[in-house]
Amino acid sequence: MPFHFYSNTKNSAAVLVLALSAFILIILGLMLAWSNLKSGDNQDIDDINAYTPAVPVETSAQSPELNLTNLKGEPVSLLDYRGKTILVNNWAFWCPPCRAELPELQAYYKKHKNQDFVIIGIESGSELEDVDYHVKKYKLSYPIWLDPIEQAVLAFQNNALPNSYVIDPDGKIVLMWSGPANRQILEKYITPFLEK
């Protein structure tokens, strides 16, 4: 009888060790997955070719007035850019299609910034540290604004990220789309407005 009791105790301890080991492995796996999601370093879904490109649609709505802050904490406004063609891009660092679109936007901006054109990237809901990390990672040179309480998605009435709007020099929204756009789409739809 004492041997039988010892055997059950030994088996119970082994089961407990196995269960504890499995639990620890699950927790480590979840922590790794969360870390990859938070850092935005999942390269498999950061490729623009993994997504169907968004197709802009024409509109004639008036641009909302939007007042936020830039990465230096300085106040900024869409009105500051009146007279230029503006591409407003609402994005978030945790959003894979948003990240996939960033190099496309940067390349397009670099090519067209001397045509009275600016891209304003509005990061939706995140803290400065996370946004700054991704701005540096993707070498973004166009203005990035912080939108911690998501005023832009409310103002444009669209919370599906990414979403983008082309605003003409008079403050009228002429194009809009939801989803990531590649350089070919940007050239096809935006460049004609810059060449008028």
Side-chain angles (χ1 to χ4, degrees):
M1 188 76 169
F3 177 77
H4 184 66
F5 176 77
Y6 174 77
S7 177
N8 281 345
T9 304
K10 189 174 179 181
N11 287 342
S12 297
V15 169
L16 183 61
V17 167
L18 282 173
L20 189 58
S21 298
F23 178 75
I24 289 170
L25 287 173
I26 290 169
I27 293 299
L28 289 173
L30 290 172
M31 288 172 62
L32 180 61
W34 173 251
S35 174
N36 285 341
L37 176 64
K38 183 160 174 48
S39 68
D41 285 338
N42 190 337
Q43 295 301 319
D44 294 338
I45 51 180
D46 279 1
D47 181 1
I48 193 68
N49 296 314
Y51 302 95
T52 302
V55 178
V57 295
E58 292 186 10
T59 180
S60 59
Q62 191 64 30
S63 169
E65 290 186 20
L66 200 55
N67 300 291
L68 295 168
T69 58
N70 62 20
L71 295 177
K72 296 178 181 177
E74 301 164 336
V76 285
S77 171
L78 283 180
L79 291 175
D80 298 340
Y81 294 89
R82 189 60 57 89
K84 290 181 176 280
T85 300
I86 307 166
L87 168 56
V88 171
N89 174 250
N90 291 305
W91 67 288
F93 82 88
W94 47 261
C95 159
C98 299
R99 294 193 308 269
E101 185 181 39
L102 294 176
E104 306 293 305
L105 294 172
Q106 174 59 34
Y108 187 81
Y109 175 70
K110 187 174 179 182
K111 181 177 177 181
H112 295 283
K113 65 182 180 180
N114 294 325
Q115 294 178 266
D116 277 334
F117 170 72
V118 65
I119 295 176
I120 298 173
I122 302 178
E123 209 287 343
S124 186
S126 303
E127 296 183 14
L128 173 61
E129 181 181 353
D130 292 319
V131 179
D132 193 49
Y133 169 83
H134 286 84
V135 167
K136 290 173 180 169
K137 176 182 175 180
Y138 291 100
K139 300 178 175 67
L140 304 180
S141 61
Y142 55 85
I144 300 294
W145 297 359
L146 299 173
D147 188 12
I149 59 173
E150 301 182 349
Q151 295 177 62
V153 294
L154 291 173
F156 286 102
Q157 300 177 12
N158 186 354
N159 61 1
L161 297 175
N163 60 69
S164 299
Y165 304 85
V166 175
I167 303 169
D168 74 9
D170 297 321
K172 185 174 73 173
I173 301 172
V174 292
L175 292 172
M176 60 181 286
W177 65 92
S178 291
N182 59 31
R183 274 172 277 185
Q184 291 77 17
I185 292 289
L186 298 173
E187 290 288 356
K188 179 179 179 180
Y189 287 91
I190 301 175
T191 304
F193 286 100
L194 304 181
E195 294 175 345
K196 286 183 180 179

